[in-house]
Amino acid sequence: MKNPELIPYLPKIADYLLVASQLKADSPEEQYRRANTLAWELAMVLPTDLYQSMGRALSQPTPTHNLLSVVIEVRKLVLGEAAGDLKDTHVIAHAPGIGGK
């Protein structure tokens, strides 16, 4: 493991990416508070490059830089070479209608 000190923050990173990506103009104020709390907690502990990468993936996603590419970025940061060759296109994600016929 390259950065095992980040392991306790993995659930917060995942939670933040999910909560923040689902915010809409009419989202309840509590969702905004939750997103801000997580964003600020993570700002205190994550490396600058990773924190900024999360922000770009949320605000300006592209086919090559998006939420799932950030998941892979975190994986590589934590596991180092042990992260293997998992790609963002391999990450399992769930949403209504995915896999439907």
Side-chain angles (χ1 to χ4, degrees):
M1 268 201 209
K2 186 175 174 186
N3 292 288
E5 68 277 5
L6 293 178
I7 290 173
Y9 301 102
L10 298 180
K12 286 186 185 274
I13 294 169
D15 195 23
Y16 173 67
L17 291 174
L18 180 63
V19 169
S21 69
Q22 294 179 342
L23 286 175
K24 307 247 183 293
D26 61 347
S27 293
E29 189 175 322
E30 179 54 37
Q31 279 185 282
Y32 280 95
R33 274 197 297 275
R34 180 75 178 135
N36 283 329
T37 298
L38 289 165
W40 298 342
E41 287 177 6
L42 294 172
M44 295 179 215
V45 296
L46 293 183
T48 301
D49 289 350
L50 176 58
Y51 188 78
Q52 290 175 337
S53 181
M54 289 185 348
R56 281 191 311 278
L58 287 161
S59 64
Q60 302 167 337
T62 68
T64 58
H65 189 80
N66 52 63
L67 298 178
L68 298 181
S69 69
V70 170
V71 168
I72 297 301
E73 193 176 338
V74 172
R75 176 184 169 86
K76 289 178 181 177
L77 186 63
V78 172
L79 296 176
E81 289 188 24
D85 64 352
L86 190 70
K87 307 268 187 273
D88 62 340
T89 56
H90 301 144
V91 177
I92 298 166
H94 305 275
I98 289 181
K101 295 182 180 186

